[in-house]
Amino acid sequence: MSHDSSSERITTELRAWITTAAPGAMLPSTRALVAQYGASPVTVQKALRTLAGQGLVESRPGVGTFVRTVRLARPNDYGWQTAALGAPAHPVPQLSTALRNTPADVIALHSGYPDRELLPERLVRAALSRAVRSSAAVSRSPAAGLPELQAWFAAELGAGAPAGIAPPVPTDVVVLPGSQSGLGTAFRALAGAGRPLLMESPTYWGAILAAAQAGVEVIPIPSGPQGPDPEDLVRAFEQTGARAFYAQPTFANPTGAQWSPALADQVLDVVRRHGAFLIEDDWAHDFGITSEAAPLAARDDSGHVVYLRSLTKSVSPAVRIAGIIARGPARERILADVQAETMYVSGVLQAAALDVVTHPGWATHLRSLRQQLGVRRDLLAAAVRDHLPEAHLPALPRGGLNLWVRLPDATDVVRLVRDCEQAGVMVAAGNEWFPAEPTGPYLRLNYAGVNPGAFPEGARIIGRALAGQRRHPEPSI
């Protein structure tokens, strides 16, 4: 019998004995348990540590091991903290449904991350293994990031620079522990607490959260399947005096919108005329299906575009690495904020990320990923059309991870999400992606999650829940 199985057997039998023993009862000594079970002292000690970790026993050095005394729970009164904390200056939204974990038997259409089978797992494991054996495992990386990773971010963006535009250089790059921290940094550094920040609506819920934490005043800019209207942007700059606009020009979350080259030129012109920054969030750079990412930052060398590029979703959620590219004083202000928040980013994670994206297998993985995402997108879109005939898909995204589904006007989205969850399907209410009041009832459905074969059944359940609202409307309050 193996060491582990012996330890598990001893743990199970002692746990059964503990259920019949009085609190404070002493367990047999280690020597007695070794003789009783014919096991080694190491195996017995492992079983005792397991029981202690489960809160069933407690060890008293030099005395023995005892059944843990059950202490009656006394409710704590934290009311004093209400007075000490006061009301929050900037109410922060709750974490999104997209971060909720689900049991294996639930059809998960809510997640914000790709399924494990869509990740370059072999490359990631090998890269982490090499990284922990390198000097990165025992050294502090530079505050702005590993020079080699800075160079990779700069070269990738610079490859798209047209003639006459100076590409970024490695020192323009600051490496971040994930793009979420980069959003907060950009909002603090470029807008500032209490000042206006223009933001597409709907938009990434994490950006709404970061804006709330930074204390900026969010000014929503309507953005549809093709992107925002430049005239709305002009009016907002002139009315508010804002000096920064946060946007996702490529495969926006949640709409999937990709700006046309003409719209990109118009937005760049508006930003330049108003002496403002465009904070470009290129979170879905690696998730093109029928189109490629074409960052606006590659077409700007005047420092108006601050570019945020994440590797977390495409490499691995365990490798939280992103880069922010800015030029001029904006870069120095961003770096100062990053140093104050994080000091530096794990060298092991940076080395692993660099290893993955410079490996020859990375390009092969991205080609396969494009095909898989296309199949999944089409499967979920067909299921929505078949089983949700009253719903509307404003556009089929050319990349990204999500479908943005418009529901009938009378839909109670909160009730729909609750009814779907009770029936075994997790979906995300579109309300979470609006920085102000929602313009209508929406669902964001993720086609990159687990078990795409269940997409049709998931859509059927959503359709039944939607039909149930028509048959049994809840009374108005």
Side-chain angles (χ1 to χ4, degrees):
M1 184 177 290
S2 71
H3 173 82
D4 287 342
S5 60
S6 295
S7 175
E8 291 172 3
R9 178 174 62 88
I10 297 170
T11 301
T12 301
E13 293 188 15
L14 287 178
R15 189 186 296 114
W17 179 83
I18 290 168
T19 60
T20 63
M26 185 175 180
L27 274 69
S29 67
T30 298
R31 180 179 299 177
L33 292 173
V34 165
Q36 178 180 345
Y37 291 104
S40 70
V42 172
T43 301
V44 169
Q45 287 295 333
K46 181 179 179 182
L48 293 176
R49 285 196 301 272
T50 299
L51 294 170
Q54 295 170 351
L56 299 177
V57 299
E58 54 189 359
S59 177
R60 300 173 193 170
V63 180
T65 302
F66 299 83
V67 176
R68 191 167 186 175
T69 302
V70 178
R71 296 175 176 86
L72 295 177
R74 177 178 59 83
N76 291 306
D77 180 7
Y78 300 115
W80 66 270
Q81 293 189 4
T82 302
L85 293 170
H90 306 284
V92 176
Q94 293 184 341
L95 286 180
S96 171
T97 304
L99 291 180
R100 285 185 59 185
N101 293 326
T102 58
D105 59 345
V106 169
I107 301 173
L109 299 177
H110 70 297
S111 177
Y113 287 84
D115 182 26
R116 180 173 170 174
E117 70 176 25
L118 298 176
L119 300 176
E121 184 171 343
R122 181 181 59 81
L123 297 181
V124 171
R125 289 184 180 278
L128 286 169
S129 178
R130 284 188 286 269
V132 297
R133 295 196 302 269
S134 74
S135 61
V138 290
S139 59
R140 177 181 63 82
S141 66
L146 295 181
E148 299 86 351
L149 187 56
Q150 290 178 288
W152 181 86
F153 277 119
E156 184 194 55
L157 181 61
I165 298 296
V169 297
T171 52
D172 293 330
V173 180
V174 177
V175 178
L176 306 164
S179 62
Q180 186 64 31
S181 67
L183 292 174
T185 285
F187 297 165
R188 287 189 296 269
L190 306 179
R195 299 182 65 185
L197 170 71
L198 308 187
M199 181 178 287
E200 290 179 292
S201 179
T203 192
Y204 170 46
W205 67 265
I208 300 171
L209 176 64
Q213 291 176 319
V216 300
E217 179 191 0
V218 172
I219 309 298
I221 304 296
S223 189
Q226 309 306 321
D229 184 336
E231 293 302 317
D232 289 337
L233 200 56
V234 169
R235 282 191 294 271
F237 274 126
E238 293 176 350
Q239 292 172 2
T240 67
R243 289 294 176 263
F245 171 40
Y246 167 77
Q248 304 170 80
T250 303
F251 315 137
N253 178 6
T255 64
Q258 182 178 28
W259 297 2
S260 68
L263 176 59
D265 286 339
Q266 289 177 289
V267 171
L268 279 175
D269 180 63
V270 170
V271 168
R272 288 165 177 156
R273 282 193 285 118
H274 288 85
F277 293 101
L278 169 64
I279 303 169
E280 179 180 10
D281 186 352
D282 195 13
W283 73 277
H285 187 94
D286 299 319
F287 299 137
I289 297 175
T290 57
S291 182
E292 299 286 349
L296 275 68
R299 298 153 61 184
D300 173 72
D301 58 5
S302 57
H304 283 282
V305 182
V306 173
Y307 177 72
L308 187 59
R309 164 74 158 104
S310 175
L311 294 175
T312 301
K313 285 186 170 66
S314 53
V315 172
S316 167
V319 182
R320 290 193 57 80
I321 292 293
I324 192 167
I325 301 180
R327 310 192 196 205
R331 188 263 186 189
E332 301 312 311
R333 190 165 294 190
I334 285 169
L335 178 58
D337 187 273
V338 169
Q339 288 178 302
E341 285 291 305
T342 62
M343 296 184 69
Y344 58 89
V345 180
S346 163
V348 168
L349 294 183
Q350 291 187 71
L354 179 65
D355 189 324
V356 170
V357 297
T358 56
H359 193 283
W362 175 243
T364 303
H365 166 73
L366 291 181
R367 287 193 294 271
S368 173
L369 178 62
R370 172 188 293 264
Q371 296 174 350
Q372 293 181 74
L373 287 176
V375 170
R376 287 163 165 263
R377 177 202 64 183
D378 294 345
L379 177 61
L380 183 56
V384 168
R385 294 190 187 102
D386 289 345
H387 302 293
L388 293 166
E390 295 181 347
H392 174 60
L393 276 175
L396 193 65
R398 291 176 287 180
L401 305 177
N402 311 295
L403 298 182
W404 186 236
V405 181
R406 178 65 156 88
L407 301 171
D409 287 338
T411 303
D412 182 339
V413 181
V414 174
R415 177 185 169 189
L416 180 65
V417 170
R418 182 191 67 212
D419 292 346
C420 286
E421 183 172 357
Q422 290 175 349
V425 178
M426 282 290 294
V427 295
N431 305 15
E432 297 180 14
W433 281 265
F434 286 93
E437 292 80 7
T439 57
Y442 287 88
L443 289 180
R444 195 202 71 164
L445 303 180
N446 180 284
Y447 50 76
V450 299
N451 191 14
F455 288 173
E457 177 60 19
R460 268 191 292 270
I461 291 172
I462 299 171
R464 286 198 295 266
L466 194 58
Q469 288 196 15
R470 294 193 305 271
R471 291 193 302 269
H472 307 288
E474 290 187 348
S476 301
I477 296 177

